[in-house]
């Protein structure tokens, strides 16, 4: 008989699987990472949004003059902001770990796991087997291999999302390398707090997953607050008397050098599959991405072993991982009646300045698939609440199938985009057509959701 009925590797979303429904199971929970609770709690979604909120307030105060409000100079007390955030998060991680240690049916191992045989792992000095495994080991920041990046003399100035939020002092200047979600959010945070921010991106489009119109508008607005440089390939990092000098080469081979106190690397994340010796238990990994291969039921290529979250998912989004965890939990408890994950309409939101939110297909994807579609666009400034905001920058864009009105995609840039997108997520997920959504319900006047209503009406389907 195996030592455990279930072993979960990873204390982030994998930890949520272990509920009272497993009270009569012998469960091993393994996590050798620095913080208990996973990336989202300690160095990802939650602390970043807790930084974004005061950043939004600071930016709103700076912008208040055009509405006749004089807010005065903005002064950010970094130590107070940081202490408020981690003064709440760190105890959550500690109490979460203590709770698991207190459970009679759960054994917590705070060390790295690696497979040594089929369904058998070595954790520190302990070796044990389990009938079933859930691999929820997450991912880690990717560190580009360029000269100087690993110089111990400058290590305290080179950061990833794991360390940048715990800086002892607010930097006067910051270089961010990357052009995705993390780059966009940290650029907003630090620029709002008064740091001189330079974003160096090797591509030509910020937020490449976004609709082109959204991405273009986002870059235009962000560039009013930070120095945004496209086509810059990281080439070197060196220490200077004042901080760091970052060397780049552009698409034409021209060299550039940028200086700042601190450097933040947001160049993607690597699945932690390579830390587990998965080949020894029959779990296959995609050679190109490093992701654990799973089927629609979140099953790996080894019987009785599931995987979820960043270690297997291309989305690397907590709400996707939460969905997958519910699927895995059900399939563990109901092996004869498995359910499948549904990734068709996984939404994204970027909590930057401005916010961006999207679900479904972009217009470029619709064209590439040869779909017959129509587009509806409405500016925030085209509805009454947008007048109140004096908004001239933001908009909602919806895409629907011509004739049927079936929603294909929705894309919003502007304040509260992450909230405004939710009814569109519901509609596209349940098959509600655009005309019924627009005409078949009340829309509170003069609330901001009218921008969604009017974008749907702009499709011209009725």
């Amino acid at each position: 008989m195996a030592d455990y009925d279930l072993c979960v590797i990873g204390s982030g979303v994998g930890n949520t699987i272990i509920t009272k429904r497993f009270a009569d199971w012998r469960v091993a929970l393994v996590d050798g990472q620095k913080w208990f609770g996973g990336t989202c709690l300690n160095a990802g979604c939650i602390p970043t949004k807790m930084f974004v909120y005061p950043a939004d307030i600071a930016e709103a105060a700076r912008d208040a003059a055009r509405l006749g409000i004089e807010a005065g100079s903005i002064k950010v007390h970094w130590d107070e902001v940081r202490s408020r955030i981690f003064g709440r998060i760190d105890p959550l991680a500690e109490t979460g770990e203590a709770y698991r240690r207190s459970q009679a049916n759960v054994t917590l191992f705070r060390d790295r796991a690696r497979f040594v045989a089929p369904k058998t792992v070595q954790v520190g000095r302990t070796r044990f087997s389990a009938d079933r495994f859930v691999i929820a080991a997450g991912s880690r920041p990717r560190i580009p291999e360029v000269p100087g990046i690993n110089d111990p003399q400058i290590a305290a100035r080179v950061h990833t999302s794991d360390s940048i939020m715990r800086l002892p002092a607010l930097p006067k200047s910051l270089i961010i390398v990357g052009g995705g979600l993390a780059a966009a959010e940290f650029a907003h945070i630090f620029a709002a707090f008064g740091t001189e921010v330079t974003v160096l991106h090797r591509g030509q489009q910020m937020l490449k997953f976004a609709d082109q119109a959204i991405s273009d508008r986002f870059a235009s607005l962000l560039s009013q607050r930070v120095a945004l440089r496209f086509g810059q390939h990281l080439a070197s990092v060196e220490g200077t008397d004042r901080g760091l000098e970052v060397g780049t080469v552009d698409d034409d081979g021209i060299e550039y050098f940028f200086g700042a106190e601190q450097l933040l690397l947001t160049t993607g994340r690597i699945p932690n599959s390579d830390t587990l010796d998965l080949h020894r238990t029959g779990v296959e990994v995609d050679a190109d991405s490093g992701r654990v291969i799973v089927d629609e039921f979140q099953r790996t290529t080894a019987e009785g072993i599931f995987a979820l979250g960043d270690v297997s998912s291309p989305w690397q989004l907590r709400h996707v991982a939460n969905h997958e965890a519910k699927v895995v939990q059900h399939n563990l408890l109901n092996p004869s009646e498995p359910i499948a994950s549904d990734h068709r309409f996984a939404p994204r939101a970027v909590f930057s300045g401005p916010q961006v939110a999207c679900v479904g297909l972009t217009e470029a994807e619709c064209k590439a698939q040869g779909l017959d579609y129509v587009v509806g666009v409405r500016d925030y400034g085209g509805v009454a609440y947008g007048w109140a905001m004096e908004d001239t920058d933001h908009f909602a864009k919806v895409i629907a199938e011509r004739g049927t009105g079936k929603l294909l995609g929705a894309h919003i840039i502007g304040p509260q985009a992450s909230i405004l997108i939710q009814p569109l997520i519901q509609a596209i997920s349940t098959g509600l057509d655009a005309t019924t959504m627009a005409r078949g319900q009340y829309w509170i006047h003069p609330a901001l959701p009218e921008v969604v209503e009017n974008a749907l009406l702009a499709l011209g389907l009725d």
Side-chain angles (χ1 to χ4, degrees):
M1 185 176 68
D3 299 300
Y4 294 95
D5 299 308
L6 171 66
C7 175
V8 177
I9 301 176
S11 67
V13 71
N15 185 39
T16 68
I17 291 175
I18 312 168
T19 65
K20 62 183 180 181
R21 301 172 72 183
F22 292 86
D24 58 348
W25 290 44
R26 297 164 300 146
V27 180
L29 177 60
V30 183
D31 196 324
Q33 301 299 314
K34 179 179 180 181
W35 296 296
F36 184 89
T39 297
C40 179
L41 173 63
N42 295 288
C45 317
I46 295 175
T48 54
K49 305 315 165 285
M50 294 179 76
F51 276 99
V52 163
Y53 185 70
D56 289 346
I57 293 175
E59 278 301 293
R62 289 191 184 95
D63 197 41
R66 65 188 181 87
L67 301 175
I69 304 297
E70 185 176 345
S73 61
I74 306 302
K75 187 173 183 180
V76 176
H77 299 280
W78 171 261
D79 55 341
E80 295 180 18
V81 173
R82 184 199 61 221
S83 296
R84 177 187 72 86
I85 293 168
F86 291 108
R88 183 166 188 175
I89 286 175
D90 290 346
L92 286 176
E94 293 167 4
T95 56
E97 181 171 350
Y99 170 70
R100 283 305 183 204
R101 291 191 184 280
S102 71
Q103 291 187 286
N105 70 311
V106 177
T107 303
L108 176 62
F109 296 88
R110 293 291 276 119
D111 209 335
R112 173 193 168 189
R114 60 183 182 86
F115 284 91
V116 293
K119 293 187 178 179
T120 304
V121 291
Q122 183 80 30
V123 183
R125 296 182 178 180
T126 304
R127 179 175 296 196
F128 63 84
S129 61
D131 291 325
R132 308 161 194 85
F133 279 82
V134 175
I135 301 170
S139 62
R140 62 189 184 275
R142 183 185 302 276
I143 307 298
E145 296 182 3
V146 296
I149 200 77
N150 295 315
D151 185 348
Q153 298 298 318
I154 61 172
R157 295 184 182 274
V158 179
H159 303 278
T160 67
S161 55
D162 285 353
S163 61
I164 191 67
M165 291 178 282
R166 295 179 184 261
L167 284 173
L170 182 67
K172 293 181 179 179
S173 55
L174 173 69
I175 291 173
I176 300 176
V177 177
L181 183 150
E185 292 187 350
F186 282 117
H188 167 54
I189 291 167
F190 283 98
F193 289 169
T195 298
E196 180 183 326
V197 177
T198 301
V199 177
L200 306 177
H201 181 36
R202 66 181 182 180
Q204 296 295 333
Q205 179 185 357
M206 289 287 290
L207 308 178
K208 65 181 181 179
F209 58 82
D211 186 88
Q212 187 71 52
I214 297 287
S215 178
D216 289 346
R217 181 65 58 85
F218 180 82
S220 175
L221 295 173
L222 183 65
S223 65
Q224 297 174 20
R225 302 172 54 211
V226 310
L228 179 57
R229 301 288 182 264
F230 289 120
Q232 300 292 325
H233 303 264
L234 187 63
S236 64
V237 180
E238 294 184 3
T240 67
D241 293 340
R242 296 184 178 181
L244 297 171
E245 183 179 73
V246 175
T248 64
V249 177
D250 72 5
D251 292 338
D252 296 319
I254 300 174
E255 294 183 334
Y256 295 84
F257 295 93
F258 303 86
E261 285 186 6
Q262 306 284 345
L263 170 64
L264 171 61
L265 302 170
T266 62
T267 50
R269 298 184 67 85
I270 301 173
N272 285 329
S273 58
D274 60 345
T275 69
L276 300 171
D277 291 343
L278 293 173
H279 63 283
R280 293 178 175 169
T281 194
V283 172
E284 294 182 11
V285 175
D286 181 78
D288 295 326
S289 67
R291 292 191 293 266
V292 174
I293 296 171
V294 295
D295 65 9
E296 68 270 29
F297 303 110
Q298 301 300 136
R299 299 177 303 199
T300 70
T301 53
E303 184 179 357
I305 301 181
F306 298 81
L308 61 91
D310 284 9
V311 78
S312 60
S313 170
W315 287 274
Q316 296 189 335
L317 298 167
R318 177 59 188 247
H319 48 271
V320 172
N322 286 342
H323 170 76
E324 293 172 352
K326 293 173 184 176
V327 169
V328 169
Q329 183 189 67
H330 173 91
N331 292 345
L332 285 168
L333 295 167
N334 305 277
S336 62
E337 299 178 352
I339 60 174
S341 292
D342 184 356
H343 295 119
R344 292 173 301 159
F345 308 116
R348 294 179 183 268
V350 183
F351 294 81
S352 184
Q355 279 193 19
V356 168
C358 57
V359 64
L361 301 176
T362 65
E363 187 171 358
E365 289 169 336
C366 289
K367 288 180 180 178
Q369 294 181 26
L371 301 179
D372 186 13
Y373 67 91
V374 290
V375 173
V377 177
R378 177 62 66 181
D379 292 335
Y380 276 42
V383 299
Y385 203 89
W387 305 350
M389 299 165 67
E390 292 291 337
D391 193 290
T392 59
D393 296 323
H394 307 117
F395 64 91
K397 175 179 179 178
V398 293
I399 308 170
E401 186 176 60
R402 193 187 306 274
T404 67
K406 174 185 176 182
L407 281 169
L408 301 173
H411 313 272
I412 304 176
I413 181 170
Q416 301 305 320
S418 58
I419 296 175
L420 295 176
I421 198 77
Q422 192 62 49
L424 290 162
I425 297 170
Q426 181 176 359
I428 198 171
S429 299
T430 59
L432 181 66
D433 66 275
T435 300
T436 302
M437 182 181 182
R439 298 293 193 189
Q441 63 180 315
Y442 281 103
W443 294 84
I444 293 175
H445 178 78
L448 192 54
E450 285 186 316
V451 74
V452 173
E453 175 196 18
N454 281 271
L456 292 167
L457 294 174
L459 290 166
L461 293 168
D462 57 352

